[in-house]
Amino acid sequence: MKFERLQHRVQRAEQLVEGRAMQTQAHWRTLSQVWRDSWTPGRIMIAGLVSGFLAGRAEPLRSMNGARWLQMVGSLSSLFATVQAATAADQATEAADTAQAVQEEQEAGAQPGAAYPPEEPLVDEAFDEEELPLRQPMPAEAATEMSER
């Protein structure tokens, strides 16, 4: 074989390796994104329950002393707080989508408030501050007002 032919084969092999490396990086990014997206709060809870069950089967209950119980309660409370936070985030996203839809509807020329009942005033028109009876604050109220200033 000639030297130029060997050089050509080496260059071709290097290009093949570079292409495979780029494909591997693209597949790794896709895999990591799919992995992160697949861990929904429900699946995390199921995985936690299964792993907790398996850990409970492997370790007898007699080793559950007071510190372990507190640790378990703390873990469960943080788990429930995480689930509540995820639920609140989903509700906030839905509310933002609804607000955006209403804004787009109003920008499109729809009558503002046409789909909703008229708003009630927050204060009655007959409300008059001068008619409120003045009284001395109770001792606890007076102490609280003084301490807050």
Side-chain angles (χ1 to χ4, degrees), residues 43-124:
R43 289 182 180 170
I44 291 171
M45 286 184 61
I46 290 171
L49 290 173
V50 168
S51 63
F53 175 75
L54 293 176
R57 295 286 294 169
E59 186 176 315
L61 282 178
R62 64 178 172 229
S63 68
M64 288 293 283
N65 56 12
R68 289 266 179 135
W69 280 107
L70 288 176
Q71 183 181 12
M72 185 175 66
V73 168
S75 297
L76 288 175
S77 67
S78 63
L79 173 71
F80 289 129
T82 303
V83 170
Q84 286 179 345
T87 304
D90 289 341
Q91 289 175 350
T93 304
E94 290 175 12
D97 292 342
T98 304
Q100 185 177 7
V102 169
Q103 182 181 9
E104 290 173 358
E105 179 182 303
Q106 288 180 351
E107 289 174 358
Q111 293 291 334
Y116 303 104
E119 293 183 18
E120 295 182 18
L122 296 176
V123 178
D124 290 337

Side-chain angles (χ1 to χ4, degrees), residues 27-42:
H27 289 304
W28 180 256
R29 279 191 298 260
T30 304
L31 175 67
S32 64
Q33 183 66 34
V34 168
W35 179 261
R36 274 186 254 123
D37 291 343
S38 66
W39 282 105
T40 62

Side-chain angles (χ1 to χ4, degrees), residues 9-29:
R9 288 182 70 185
V10 168
Q11 288 175 352
R12 193 167 149 226
E14 287 176 350
Q15 289 175 350
L16 183 64
V17 168
E18 287 177 9
R20 298 290 183 196
M22 289 173 35
Q23 284 179 344
T24 303
Q25 288 176 348
H27 289 304
W28 180 256
R29 279 191 298 260

